Amino acid sequence: MSLTVQSPAQVAETLARLTLTVGVEEEFLLLDPHSWQNAPSADAAREALPAALRGRSQVEFRRSMMEMVSPVCTDLTQLYRTLRENRSGAGAAAEAVGARLVAVAATPVGEPDLEVVDTPRFHAIARHYGPIAHDPALCGFHVHVGVPDRELAIQVCNAIRPWLPVVQALSVNSPFHAGADTGHTSWRGMALERWPSLGPSPYLHSVEDYERVVGELIATGVMLDGSMVLWWARPSLRYPTVEIRVGDVCPTAGETVVIAGLVRALVATSIAGIAAGREALRPPEHLLRAAHWNAAHTGLSGTLIDLRSHEPRPAWDLVDELVATVGPALDRHGDRAHVVSGLAELREYGTGADRQRRAAAHGAGLPGAMTELTEATIGS
């Protein structure tokens, strides 16, 4: 008896009628509330978590980082509730060990303890990449959208590439490093360029093509092994999802949920396009990388590169076009009102980077910005 193997387009046709699941991983820094330097208190903070939340916490690369994950969700209200629970519980645990949980994407002052967490895996990474692995900690957030077919997941990653710089610009939240303004809205985005296995995913034709490319990169030493596929979008290594990793950790749970809803709609729109036989746009690799650099540099305060026309456009014009592009998917999932209202607030109050700079300029400097950000982390 022969088994029928469905093509990505056939799988996409089925998924295009379903509600896609969504989940989020958020990374946070633990900071000393007096010096605002990184506090190597993650082990103690995880021990202080309520038992119900301990299973949602994962060990991260640095001792100043806490990662909290959501369960698999089907609607944004459920996701928002769980992220608030995660942040509130982790914030209380951090305070219990003398630190503060802060949703900031790059070490704002300094990290006295640059050792990696004591696991064989992390030590192997540190040996392989050397000083790069001992850079001060950086924090992002990862959105997982349910795509259970790996061949289809490869095609989705191809299709969403032109819009990911816009997603990155929405999340920028790391203007400070070493106690000073870097001139960039996402220092995390800049600093991660030192890692050779990060950045936009290459255009791939199939799972076989994916495995060939990863094998070649491992052979060169760029990747230590297959787990070092750290592209901005990838088929998840652990879950039946597409994982989008481009964003800075957001100041508030509300902003995380808005961007997660937009990302789910982008994945759903790509699936509908694959089902209809539409070819993914394939921008030049140099321009794709430049678009991400530009997004990390300016956020939403200037222009972004429109990867369809290869021209700079006002950033908010591209945000509006992204919403229009994914509008049917927002409607199908019941997310339009939530996403549109959240983006309106972002337009009014600015990105996390904008708000950090504004707080720092109002007399209290960087400590004032970190105090405000600490309150935002667990407040909304």
Side-chain angles (χ1 to χ4, degrees):
M1 183 178 71
S2 63
L3 296 176
T4 301
V5 178
Q6 289 189 310
S7 70
Q10 290 171 319
V11 178
E13 189 174 352
T14 299
L15 279 182
R17 297 189 295 268
L18 303 177
T19 296
L20 301 183
T21 60
V22 63
V24 167
E25 302 168 333
E26 293 187 295
E27 298 165 349
F28 304 98
L29 279 183
L30 298 172
L31 300 182
D32 181 281
H34 305 291
S35 67
W36 296 107
Q37 293 197 91
N38 294 16
S41 307
D43 286 346
R46 278 194 299 274
E47 285 296 316
L49 280 170
L53 292 183
R54 220 164 282 157
R56 296 187 195 171
S57 178
Q58 296 184 354
V59 175
E60 253 303 334
F61 193 59
R62 304 303 285 275
R63 289 186 272 195
S64 60
M65 296 174 67
M66 280 190 81
E67 181 175 1
M68 301 295 293
V69 304
S70 80
V72 177
C73 299
T74 56
D75 68 81
L76 298 189
T77 300
Q78 177 191 16
L79 180 62
Y80 177 66
R81 184 171 61 250
T82 59
L83 295 185
R84 287 290 307 275
E85 290 171 355
N86 285 355
R87 286 171 175 239
S88 177
E95 286 204 37
V97 299
R100 296 295 181 270
L101 185 85
V102 187
V104 62
T107 295
V109 176
E111 184 155 33
D113 182 345
L114 290 169
E115 292 303 312
V116 302
V117 168
D118 187 17
T119 71
R121 170 72 182 153
F122 291 156
H123 284 304
I125 292 172
R127 286 193 300 271
H128 189 76
Y129 292 101
I132 295 173
H134 298 282
D135 284 346
L138 305 165
C139 296
F141 85 105
H142 307 159
V143 182
H144 288 261
V145 181
V147 181
D149 181 86
R150 200 162 176 79
E151 290 286 357
L152 178 59
I154 295 289
Q155 302 307 320
V156 168
C157 290
N158 289 339
I160 67 177
R161 294 193 314 159
W163 289 109
L164 290 187
V166 181
V167 174
Q168 183 175 17
L170 287 165
S171 71
V172 291
N173 187 36
S174 48
F176 295 106
H177 173 67
D181 193 321
T182 64
H184 305 291
T185 59
S186 174
W187 180 249
R188 168 182 170 270
M190 298 297 173
L192 284 176
E193 292 204 355
R194 283 164 57 87
W195 287 85
S197 57
L198 276 95
S201 58
Y203 188 97
L204 300 167
H205 297 283
S206 62
V207 170
E208 183 181 10
D209 196 24
Y210 170 94
E211 292 173 347
R212 176 188 60 79
V213 168
V214 171
E216 290 171 348
L217 292 174
I218 292 171
T220 68
V222 164
M223 289 184 184
L224 178 61
D225 54 38
S227 71
M228 295 300 293
V229 178
L230 302 175
W231 300 323
W232 295 145
R234 67 179 186 180
S236 173
L237 304 180
R238 292 181 291 173
Y239 309 115
T241 65
V242 167
E243 181 181 3
I244 291 85
R245 309 165 48 85
V246 72
D248 281 6
V249 65
C250 293
T252 67
E255 286 167 84
T256 301
V257 171
V258 167
I259 296 175
L262 196 58
V263 165
R264 173 165 68 170
L266 178 58
V267 170
T269 300
S270 300
I271 288 172
I274 293 164
R278 290 194 289 272
E279 290 287 330
L281 181 68
R282 193 169 178 178
E285 295 297 319
H286 73 278
L287 196 59
L288 183 59
R289 287 191 168 274
H292 279 289
W293 191 96
N294 177 217
H297 179 60
T298 64
L300 298 175
S301 61
T303 60
L304 297 174
I305 302 299
D306 186 335
L307 288 166
R308 300 163 299 177
S309 66
H310 300 186
E311 296 291 334
R313 299 273 307 284
W316 275 104
D317 285 1
L318 280 180
V319 173
D320 290 341
E321 290 191 21
L322 174 56
V323 173
T325 298
V326 304
L330 289 173
D331 292 335
R332 180 161 65 83
H333 287 87
D335 294 344
R336 179 183 287 273
H338 196 126
V339 168
V340 169
S341 65
L343 290 175
E345 287 189 20
L346 194 61
R347 191 189 298 251
E348 181 177 358
Y349 298 110
T351 63
D354 296 330
R355 301 196 310 267
Q356 283 189 54
R357 284 172 168 155
R358 199 158 57 234
H362 287 170
L366 185 56
M370 291 302 104
T371 298
E372 185 174 301
L373 192 53
T374 301
E375 293 168 357
T377 298
I378 60 174
S380 59

